[in-house]
Amino acid sequence: MRVGSTIVLLDGYCYQSYQWKMMRPLGKLQRVIDSLEAYHCDEISIIRPIRINDSEESFKKDIEKIKKINCMTPLSFGGGLRDFKNIDLLHDLPIERLIFSSAFINKDFKLTEYARNLFGQQAIQCLLPFTIEDNLIKIFLSNEDKFIPIEDMDLAAINENANEIILYDTKNESASNQFDEQIINKLNIDNEKLIISGGIGHLNIKKVKRKNIASVLIDNKVLHKEYSIKGYKNG
Amino acid sequence: MVENCSKCLYDIKHPFGLSLYKDKCTGCITHEEKYQINWGNKEDELRSILENYKKKSKVYDCVIPVIGDAEDFYVLSKVLELGMSPLVVSVNDYFKNDIGWYNLHQLITFFDVDSIVFNPDMRVYKELVRTSLRKYDHILLPFLQLHTSFPVHIAKERKIPLIIWGQNQAIEQVGKFSHHDKVQMSAWSRKEHDLFGIDINTLIGNGAQVQEKYLNYYEYPNISALEKSGVKGIYLSNYMKWDPLKQNHSTIKYGYKPQRNNSSFDIYERAGSSVYYQLHDLLKFKRVGYRKVRDHLVREIRHGRISKNDAIVLEKQYNKSKVDINGFFNWLGMTKSAKKWFVMHRLNGFEDLIGYSDSCQKIDLPKKIEKLIQVSEIEKNEFIVFGKGV
């Protein structure tokens, strides 16, 4: 199982996101990446926290930052990949995988197919930001800034079109050992395709290791402690 | 458009980074945690962490990095109260005045602790200060490199597993992390916050006439080796309700001497420095757009000792205070013409703030602040490169 980290990037600067609401500043992208590499992070997901409003200017600013990244660790990137024009801007970036969220939830498979033709099937990841309330799973639809029932989605099509699926616990984001593992059993998706994030702690990692999932992405906490990744890997 | 916090004086251009959430900055939001946290529980947590480190090393349980500041007195008093056996480690910045040396000596003798004071090679240090001034308009970067790495080297070399720092500035000023995150010392945080992204290699670049073999202690230890040695660094402000002005005021009972200055009402922070409220403050104004007094006022707004409106008025008054830069340029060995060139080209627009005033200006302060800053002294001698406070 891979152990990686998420980075929230907006307007060229990195942030930490708390409970999907508040963002605290983190630092400059290259410095953050340098430390994650030094900690032997297996992968880094750079996510733009985009809701309804995204501007072309902001997207381009972030792309410019990513273009300049010096990094050996596999990178994935998403947040605001909503039309063909956005995808065309991703050529020649040092990223291996693309993260789509609204496109999959809205069943806009033309967009993901377009990306797949350009970057290959292995490059396509789906991000499902979720919350579980009263036993009901809701998925956050970022381009409408609201949670929708999971039943409104075509999970089978997502399973077919996405190479990997990131389950992101929004309610427990930034907490420790709070990732709601119920979600893994409740969705009918191959565990080998799953990546989990949001509130991940050592205990979560210990438990999910047995479930044979592909990867865990630590949110925020990787830089809170020197060489923290090793602790998670040994978790 | 620059976005400002509705509660304090900071805007999103703060050099540590700052976010706004519902018009309130992350610094103010994180400060509110101080009134929600059960600090008794946090202190218990601290006690249990420290218990794991007691008697792990043959002689010392922890390293306390100090400069002889009021905060150091407070931290050391707490660490001793908690039953730890500390080694105090200090780096000579060569900028201390008589009060600075007195305080450092008083800290060590009052608490009767073992200490190491590192005196860096003066020629190398001065060359780095010169380079730092030329490239980054900053004169304390070489000291900050040492202050944040030398104690870590000492901990690693002497197998002392814990370093205890006082406040985490990034939390106190801009709320970069929650207190609940319990962030620890790291190479990333050092570079991002203490060094403003400028590590020693960036600092020397291709401009400084310094041989790398002299820079060992300016560099942070290799993090992989550090991890193997088991050295960790924690911040007391994650486990105690941090109120610097109140805490620093309380250190007078240990013999700490505060020092009056023209640039801020805070007589405790960096008292004993010949440059902190002088050229360093002016360069900060140039680099980030505000002087140190803003950090102090923001802190006091958050602690409820001054209103935002009164703080705005006070900041305007303090922003007019003049700084004496001659002492620093003499220390650096710059000629009069070089100084003139520097002022003309690099302090262009700040000439009105350069000068000497022999008495501290009287500015009316709110009573809640006034009562915490009653006794203070004025330095007699500046730039004492080696000294003892006796």
Side-chain angles (χ1 to χ4, degrees):
Chain A
M1 187 176 74
R2 303 169 341 237
V3 178
S5 172
T6 51
I7 295 176
V8 175
L9 179 74
L10 187 63
D11 293 336
Y13 192 81
C14 298
Y15 292 86
Q16 304 169 86
S17 176
Y18 288 71
Q19 285 89 42
W20 210 245
K21 291 178 194 153
M22 187 184 139
M23 289 204 300
R24 294 176 194 271
L26 184 63
K28 293 205 171 161
L29 181 61
Q30 185 62 57
R31 280 185 222 149
V32 169
I33 287 198
D34 285 346
S35 290
L36 296 179
E37 284 215 287
Y39 294 169
H40 302 135
C41 213
D42 292 330
E43 63 188 292
I44 300 168
S45 288
I46 302 172
I47 297 172
R48 298 177 66 242
I50 297 308
R51 304 292 186 257
I52 297 172
N53 297 325
D54 189 13
S55 71
E56 200 181 319
E57 189 193 354
S58 169
F59 187 82
K60 283 184 175 167
K61 204 171 177 179
D62 292 339
I63 292 294
E64 281 308 308
K65 285 281 170 197
I66 290 171
K67 220 177 242 176
K68 290 177 190 152
I69 291 175
N70 185 6
C71 179
M72 305 273 279
T73 307
L75 297 176
S76 46
F77 170 70
L81 303 182
R82 289 175 182 171
D83 57 39
F84 298 112
K85 222 165 62 184
N86 290 144
I87 308 290
D88 290 336
L89 287 170
L90 303 178
H91 285 293
D92 302 325
L93 293 185
I95 51 176
E96 288 193 9
R97 300 182 189 107
L98 305 178
I99 304 168
F100 293 88
S101 188
S102 298
F104 274 114
I105 299 168
N106 287 327
K107 301 165 194 159
D108 183 3
F109 296 115
K110 272 187 189 162
L111 188 68
T112 54
E113 198 182 323
Y114 181 71
R116 191 172 60 222
N117 289 337
L118 289 171
F119 296 93
Q121 167 68 16
Q122 280 200 330
I124 309 300
Q125 292 184 325
C126 166
L127 172 69
L128 297 179
F130 72 92
T131 184
I132 302 179
E133 276 162 29
D134 301 328
N135 246 354
L136 295 173
I137 303 172
K138 290 178 180 174
I139 304 292
F140 186 75
L141 180 54
S142 55
N143 68 344
E144 290 183 22
D145 199 8
K146 66 177 189 187
F147 282 93
I148 59 165
I150 195 158
E151 291 75 22
D152 292 359
M153 292 169 43
D154 187 348
L155 273 179
I158 289 174
N159 201 8
E160 194 188 315
N161 285 285
N163 189 53
E164 287 181 319
I165 296 160
I166 304 169
L167 301 176
Y168 199 103
D169 189 340
T170 57
K171 196 165 73 181
N172 293 308
E173 184 188 44
S174 83
S176 195
N177 293 315
Q178 297 296 314
F179 178 85
D180 199 335
E181 290 155 25
Q182 297 178 61
I183 188 90
I184 299 173
N185 300 329
K186 288 193 172 188
L187 298 184
N188 192 18
I189 297 172
D190 308 334
N191 281 9
E192 297 84 35
K193 274 191 157 191
L194 289 182
I195 296 173
I196 61 167
S197 189
I200 300 287
H202 297 90
L203 294 177
N204 287 130
I205 293 179
K206 223 173 197 175
K207 282 192 212 163
V208 298
K209 256 183 183 171
R210 286 180 236 127
K211 298 192 182 205
N212 209 22
I213 67 164
S215 173
V216 293
L217 297 174
I218 318 293
D219 48 312
N220 297 357
K221 290 183 293 296
V222 182
L223 292 175
H224 292 178
K225 205 174 159 186
E226 195 81 285
Y227 233 86
S228 58
I229 283 284
K230 195 178 171 190
Y232 289 110
K233 283 187 177 175
N234 295 337
Chain B
M1 192 187 75
V2 178
E3 294 170 87
N4 299 289
C5 174
S6 62
K7 301 258 300 184
C8 72
L9 306 179
Y10 286 149
D11 60 49
I12 56 165
K13 285 191 168 172
H14 191 289
F16 285 169
L18 187 92
S19 307
L20 297 178
Y21 180 66
K22 294 180 180 167
D23 289 338
K24 227 190 280 180
C25 77
T26 39
C28 289
I29 291 169
T30 304
H31 181 83
E32 285 166 9
E33 286 179 358
K34 290 186 182 180
Y35 307 99
Q36 294 147 7
I37 288 170
N38 181 333
W39 291 103
N41 289 350
K42 283 272 178 196
E43 212 163 313
D44 289 345
E45 207 179 315
L46 175 65
R47 278 177 205 280
S48 102
I49 292 168
L50 297 185
E51 219 42 58
N52 292 328
Y53 288 95
K54 281 182 188 168
K55 306 292 172 229
K56 259 197 175 180
S57 163
K58 276 184 189 157
V59 191
Y60 306 108
D61 300 325
C62 61
V63 162
I64 314 279
V66 303
I67 50 176
D69 220 343
E71 181 177 295
D72 301 331
F73 279 72
Y74 184 77
V75 169
L76 195 50
S77 70
K78 288 291 163 195
V79 167
L80 290 169
E81 260 175 49
L82 290 160
M84 300 291 278
S85 168
L87 173 66
V88 162
V89 178
S90 186
V91 172
N92 187 355
D93 63 1
Y94 298 125
F95 294 139
K96 281 186 174 44
N97 58 28
D98 53 311
I99 295 173
W101 280 110
Y102 168 85
N103 281 333
L104 182 60
H105 187 73
Q106 177 68 9
L107 177 82
I108 294 160
T109 52
F110 181 87
F111 291 108
D112 194 17
V113 285
D114 289 350
S115 63
I116 294 175
V117 179
F118 175 56
N119 298 303
D121 182 313
M122 181 69 101
R123 290 160 305 170
V124 172
Y125 186 76
K126 279 196 178 179
E127 178 59 20
L128 291 175
V129 171
R130 198 175 284 120
T131 306
S132 177
L133 175 64
R134 180 171 54 80
K135 286 172 76 173
Y136 300 108
D137 284 324
H138 204 309
I139 56 174
L140 290 182
L141 276 176
F143 167 70
L144 293 172
Q145 311 269 356
L146 286 168
H147 176 63
T148 52
S149 69
F150 182 71
V152 187
H153 281 282
I154 289 293
K156 182 173 164 275
E157 285 164 15
R158 298 196 174 205
K159 297 186 171 51
I160 305 169
L162 185 65
I163 301 172
I164 302 181
W165 301 87
Q167 65 171 295
N168 183 311
Q169 263 204 332
I171 295 179
E172 289 296 307
Q173 287 194 18
V174 299
K176 209 153 193 186
F177 314 98
S178 161
H179 292 90
H180 301 293
D181 289 331
K182 289 175 270 184
V183 288
Q184 295 183 2
M185 168 190 88
S186 72
W188 168 78
S189 179
R190 172 184 181 258
K191 189 171 175 181
E192 186 71 33
H193 307 122
D194 300 317
L195 307 181
F196 308 98
I198 304 159
D199 59 15
I200 191 66
N201 294 320
T202 316
L203 173 62
I204 57 171
N206 54 10
Q209 304 298 309
V210 178
Q211 283 182 285
E212 280 188 29
K213 65 180 179 183
Y214 294 120
L215 298 176
N216 181 31
Y217 286 133
Y218 288 86
E219 285 179 45
Y220 199 76
N222 174 287
I223 59 165
S224 175
L226 198 62
E227 200 271 334
K228 276 182 196 140
S229 70
V231 174
K232 297 217 180 321
I234 59 167
Y235 297 91
L236 277 193
S237 60
N238 281 329
Y239 302 94
M240 293 174 174
K241 190 178 175 185
W242 212 251
D243 183 348
L245 197 64
K246 219 171 177 178
Q247 290 167 193
N248 291 347
H249 174 65
S250 75
T251 63
I252 291 172
K253 65 176 177 274
Y254 306 127
Y256 176 77
K257 269 190 196 172
Q259 182 193 348
R260 257 173 287 165
N261 72 79
N262 269 328
S263 304
S264 173
F265 57 90
D266 190 323
I267 54 174
Y268 304 104
E269 188 175 356
R270 298 300 175 104
S273 170
S274 308
V275 295
Y276 198 77
Y277 294 102
Q278 305 294 337
L279 181 60
H280 174 70
D281 200 34
L282 190 63
L283 291 171
K284 178 180 170 115
F285 201 7
K286 183 187 171 192
R287 283 195 320 272
V288 302
Y290 63 87
R291 296 176 74 165
K292 187 65 193 173
V293 71
R294 182 178 290 183
D295 294 330
H296 294 153
L297 287 166
V298 166
R299 184 190 69 199
E300 296 313 306
I301 291 171
R302 290 175 184 162
H303 282 283
R305 289 189 279 259
I306 190 169
S307 68
K308 183 178 177 178
N309 287 341
D310 287 348
I312 291 169
V313 174
L314 277 189
E315 186 182 26
K316 277 184 188 153
Q317 287 177 279
Y318 279 111
N319 277 352
K320 288 182 204 151
S321 71
K322 287 182 188 282
V323 301
D324 179 13
I325 62 172
N326 285 327
F328 171 78
F329 285 111
N330 291 340
W331 174 88
L332 196 58
M334 272 171 85
T335 60
K336 272 186 183 170
S337 60
K339 194 195 100 181
K340 204 173 159 190
W341 182 94
F342 189 86
V343 171
M344 193 186 289
H345 295 279
R346 302 293 296 273
L347 294 175
N348 187 14
F350 295 90
E351 295 93 337
D352 289 352
L353 298 178
I354 299 168
Y356 179 74
S357 59
D358 55 1
S359 62
C360 292
Q361 56 178 331
K362 177 70 188 149
I363 291 176
D364 290 329
L365 296 166
K367 280 197 178 113
K368 284 180 184 172
I369 294 179
E370 188 91 56
K371 75 172 190 188
L372 293 173
I373 53 166
Q374 288 153 352
V375 193
S376 61
E377 301 200 11
I378 293 181
E379 76 286 358
K380 293 183 189 80
N381 295 299
E382 293 194 304
F383 295 96
I384 305 171
V385 292
F386 298 107
K388 268 200 165 187
V390 286

